[in-house]
Amino acid sequence: MDTRQGFDLKRHIRTIPDYPKPGILFRDITTLLSNPEAFRAAVDELCSPFQKVRIDHVAGIEARGFIVGGAVAHVLGRGFIPIRKKGKLPHKVIGQEYALEYGVDRIEIHEDALAKGERVLLIDDLIATGGTALAAVELIQRLGAELVAAAFVIDLPDLGGADKLRQAGVKVHSLVGFAGH
Ligand code: AMP
């Protein structure tokens, strides 16, 4: 595998101020995904620490975690498990609520998606406060699977999500950090 260490991923991420609401700096990865070298470099770097680690499944969080997680699963030669917003999965699910700035949201996983003891790599595009990723970790662990690590293209370290995951005993791998929110 061609791991392009040192590739400048950051310049391929577009920042949109005040989206989806005033004060938010939205880190848009569509510009990274549309560039073949940047997309490949991001996927290769996400996979790089796990090439020699036993992973049974890659789980991705809707929606951008599907794009990146699907590619990671393909490179690692593993199956992909979707973690979706409520009401989207067709079979029996278990769900986990998590706090948003205003109110709560819920993500779900098929109850038969993972077997006890299976080793899972969790993928999303970005970690901010960590609420979404922590809920996903909870779902994976409730199915009896073992979380090997959580990997993200982007970390917003000042929002503390990656630290929260580490405090919960999760290994965190991220490629690009943006200071602030
Ligand atoms: P959080 O639960 O706060 O860690 O938020 C993570 C989820 O929200 C991820 O699925 C991201 O795609 C999305 N998200 C949060 N903040 C941003 C941001 N500034 N730019 C782009 N996506 C974001």
Side-chain angles (χ1 to χ4, degrees):
M1 191 190 67
D2 176 15
T3 53
R4 297 166 193 216
Q5 301 294 343
F7 188 97
D8 186 8
L9 289 172
K10 211 169 188 172
R11 79 185 167 87
H12 292 281
I13 298 165
R14 176 165 63 182
T15 297
I16 315 272
D18 299 322
Y19 182 87
K21 49 189 177 184
I24 305 284
L25 290 173
F26 191 86
R27 307 299 180 175
D28 174 21
I29 63 160
T30 62
T31 40
L32 182 153
L33 298 173
S34 68
N35 179 286
E37 286 82 25
F39 187 22
R40 180 184 290 270
V43 172
D44 286 351
E45 284 189 36
L46 282 170
C47 293
S48 155
F50 309 108
Q51 288 291 350
K52 295 196 169 112
V53 175
R54 192 189 123 208
I55 305 276
D56 297 308
H57 282 102
V58 175
I61 304 174
E62 187 174 1
R64 280 161 278 154
F66 288 0
I67 302 166
V68 181
V72 166
H74 177 76
V75 169
L76 293 178
R78 295 292 174 260
F80 179 78
I81 309 291
I83 296 178
R84 299 207 64 179
K85 307 274 164 64
K86 63 170 177 283
K88 301 277 191 176
L89 286 167
H91 191 52
K92 285 186 187 151
V93 298
I94 61 164
Q96 184 69 39
E97 292 193 337
Y98 59 98
L100 297 173
E101 200 178 344
Y102 301 104
V104 290
D105 213 340
R106 179 182 162 93
I107 51 173
E108 298 175 338
I109 191 170
H110 276 145
E111 65 174 17
D112 59 357
L114 295 167
K116 257 197 175 57
E118 281 190 319
R119 289 167 56 85
V120 178
L121 173 62
L122 176 67
I123 303 282
D124 202 358
D125 68 321
L126 180 147
I127 182 157
T129 65
T132 317
L134 277 164
V137 168
E138 185 80 13
L139 288 175
I140 289 164
Q141 292 175 340
R142 276 169 58 196
L143 291 180
E146 191 184 325
L147 189 75
V148 175
F152 306 89
V153 178
I154 302 167
D155 179 20
L156 306 182
D158 298 341
L159 294 183
D163 280 343
K164 268 191 229 156
L165 278 182
R166 289 187 195 100
Q167 280 156 24
V170 175
K171 281 200 190 97
V172 179
H173 174 49
S174 65
L175 309 185
V176 172
F178 287 96
H181 56 277

